[in-house]
Every structure is written in C-alpha cells, then in structure tokens.
Amino acid sequence: MQIPYAVKLAFQSMFREKWINFLSMLTIASGLLVMSLSFFAIYNIDIATKKLPEKFSLLVYLDENLPQDRIDQVINDFKKIPVVSSTKFISKEEAMKELKGVLKNSAYVFEGLEENPLPDTLELKLRKDAVGPETVKKLAEQALKIKGVHEVNYGENFVSTIYYLKAGVTMLGMILTVIFSTGIIFVCYSTVKILFYRRNEEIETFKLLGATGRFIRLPFLIEGAFIGAVGGFISMLCMLAFYYIVLLKLSISIPLFKAILFPHNTFLLLPAIGLLLGTAGAAIAIGRLKY
C-alpha cells in the first residue's frame, strides 16, 4: 500500500505546485534538447571522420627502371606488414594516362615531353584503425628502408587532421554531456528541495503519526522522476519535430542534407534519460535534507 499512496501524494503535489513543476519540466526539456542537438552534430561529424580513413592512401614511389622481379618483391614486403590492408601497383604509363585525363583541358602542358617523368608507384591502403599520425609515420620510415623504394608520400597534415578532429569531437561530446547532465540534476535537486520545504507542515504531521523516512522520501523520488521523464519526453518530441519538419524538407530541396544521419533510436531514449537524471537529482536533494 505504501507505493500506491506515495504515487498519489506525488501527483497531488505536482498538481498543487503545477507552475514550479511545469517550469522545471521546460528547463529540463531545454537542457536535454540542447544536449541532443549537440549529440546530433557530433554524431554526424564523427561518422564523417570515420569515413575519411577509407579514402586515405600512402603512395610509394619506386626507383627508376626497377626490374619486375624486384617490384614483385617490394609488393610482397608490404603485404607482410600487418597495418597494410591492400597494395595496388600503378605503372608510369598508367599514371601518365590518368594525369592526361585529369589535365585534358590543358594538353599544352605535355607538348615537347619526350619521356615519361613519372615513376612506378605503389598505392597502399591501411586498416581503418591504423590510420593515425604515429602509425603512418612509422610505416613511411619502414617503407624507405625497403630496397627499390625511392620516396614515400602520405599526406602528413591530412592524417593529423583526421586524428585530432576525432579526438576533439569525442572530448567535446563528453564535456557537453557532463555539463548538461549536471545542470539537469541540479534543476531536479532544486525543485524537490523547494517542494520539500513547501510541504514542511504536512511532513511534520506524517512524522507525528509515525511515518518512516522511506515513506516521506518516496513521493519526492517519484515526483523528481516524473518531472525528468516529462522533460525528456518533451525534448524527444522536439527532436522528432526537428527531423520531420526541418531535415526532411531540406533534404528534398538540398541533396546534401540526405547524407545527414538521424539516430532515431537514441533520441527515443530521452524520456528514460530524463527519468534517471530526475531521480538522481531528487535522491541527492532528499539525502541532504533533515526531517
């Protein structure tokens, strides 16, 4: 009988103090909405940075007039390296043909060119998890020690940009999550604390009647959980409205927006996240109060 009665007391308090609770719900909803929008942006940036390593390649320029058996040996040497996922040989003739295709509108560049100045090249693809500044640098140094390798080009700035962008996005996500979660817990903490003092006479009556601490605390826990859950539900509706009203319409007129991903399942958890944060705030509040 204790839990049903506690639920009844909690809902009576919510209707009696409806404006305080309503403002708290809106505040929590705003906090979760900002956190959700931040997560949405960070999520898409993270997905984009994860796709960049797929396009990364390390170019190995071979010595001039290297015999075929030596070229095959160089390729085999690279295949034995664990971080290398694939190797592709590009002959100087293929490289020149590709270059002419790219510069077809500037054919005058090749006038008077008697010999092909381009070297035979190996294009190395790395495992996704191996694309990092230190790993790529070590591989380049290792490649230069292989007999027949003349030069290595791996776009050091590109690799560093991918690595630090991913690290920065992850750190930003963690910081925002901590800040907004703390803010939401504080809102629930303050609300429950105010409600407790406004019901002080009622609580004194319960104490005189022999009510236990658990009986007095339970309605406030339920109220804090409900406030957080409703705030989460409001923020979930706002995120779904943002998707269906803004993103879908923009994707129709601007094809670029079709590449943006919207993690529906994650945002459906907002009411549960609000409930947990609300319960945590209420638990801290009643834990610090004397009764």
Side-chain angles (χ1 to χ4, degrees):
M1 292 296 292
Q2 192 179 67
I3 293 177
Y5 189 70
V7 172
K8 179 182 177 182
L9 288 176
F11 277 90
Q12 284 177 349
S13 174
M14 279 186 283
F15 282 109
R16 187 166 57 242
E17 306 291 349
K18 54 183 176 293
W19 291 113
I20 293 176
N21 290 317
F22 180 68
L23 290 174
S24 298
M25 291 172 186
L26 288 182
T27 304
I28 292 169
S30 300
L32 285 173
L33 180 61
V34 174
M35 191 163 66
S36 299
L37 289 171
S38 302
F39 170 79
F40 169 71
I42 291 170
Y43 175 80
N44 278 277
I45 292 172
D46 185 58
I47 292 295
T49 55
K50 284 179 179 177
K51 290 180 179 179
L52 288 176
E54 297 176 3
K55 300 179 181 180
F56 173 79
S57 60
L58 187 143
L59 298 177
V60 178
Y61 302 118
L62 305 179
D63 290 335
E64 190 175 354
N65 299 321
L66 201 65
Q68 186 60 46
D69 60 337
R70 186 60 220 164
I71 292 175
D72 293 337
Q73 183 58 49
V74 172
I75 293 173
N76 288 330
D77 288 342
F78 280 116
K79 285 182 177 180
K80 294 176 183 177
I81 299 175
V83 297
V84 178
S85 63
S86 66
T87 59
K88 178 183 177 183
F89 175 71
I90 305 172
S91 67
K92 56 174 21 180
E93 290 78 16
E94 291 176 359
M96 177 58 72
K97 184 178 179 181
E98 185 177 344
L99 183 61
K100 286 182 177 180
V102 174
L103 300 176
K104 59 183 178 181
N105 295 325
S106 304
Y108 61 86
V109 174
F110 303 99
E111 292 179 1
L113 192 65
E114 296 179 358
E115 294 184 2
N116 186 349
L118 300 177
D120 291 329
T121 307
L122 287 179
E123 183 182 29
L124 307 182
K125 290 286 186 180
L126 277 62
R127 296 200 324 264
K128 292 180 183 179
D129 57 338
V131 181
E134 292 301 321
T135 305
V136 176
K137 187 177 180 180
K138 287 180 181 178
L139 178 59
E141 293 172 353
Q142 186 178 353
L144 288 171
K145 295 177 182 178
I146 296 176
K147 185 179 179 181
V149 174
H150 177 69
E151 186 181 348
V152 178
N153 185 347
Y154 64 93
E156 185 175 0
N157 291 334
F158 176 76
V159 177
S160 298
T161 300
I162 294 174
Y163 179 80
Y164 291 117
L165 183 60
K166 288 177 70 175
V169 165
T170 302
M171 181 61 67
L172 179 62
M174 292 174 62
I175 292 172
L176 288 174
T177 299
V178 170
I179 291 174
F180 284 108
S181 296
T182 303
I184 291 167
I185 289 174
F186 179 75
V187 169
C188 289
Y189 166 85
S190 301
T191 303
V192 169
K193 195 172 181 181
I194 291 169
L195 294 173
F196 183 91
Y197 284 120
R198 296 185 74 150
R199 292 174 56 188
N200 195 43
E201 291 183 5
E202 184 181 342
I203 290 169
E204 288 298 327
T205 303
F206 284 140
K207 288 169 64 177
L208 291 172
L209 294 173
T212 62
R214 180 184 176 186
F215 180 87
I216 294 172
R217 288 195 300 265
L218 195 55
F220 293 103
L221 282 174
I222 294 171
E223 196 163 355
F226 184 79
I227 291 170
V230 173
F233 183 74
I234 294 171
S235 63
M236 181 191 72
L237 292 179
C238 290
M239 285 304 298
L240 293 176
F242 168 72
Y243 173 71
Y244 288 108
I245 296 174
V246 179
L247 286 183
L248 283 184
K249 285 190 176 181
L250 286 175
S251 64
I252 294 172
S253 56
I254 306 175
L256 179 64
F257 280 86
K258 292 181 179 179
I260 296 177
L261 300 177
F262 188 85
H264 293 81
N265 293 338
T266 302
F267 296 126
L268 292 176
L269 295 174
L270 283 171
I273 294 172
L275 185 146
L276 291 174
L277 294 176
T279 304
I284 295 171
I286 61 177
R288 295 174 63 88
L289 293 168
K290 304 295 182 181
Y291 51 86

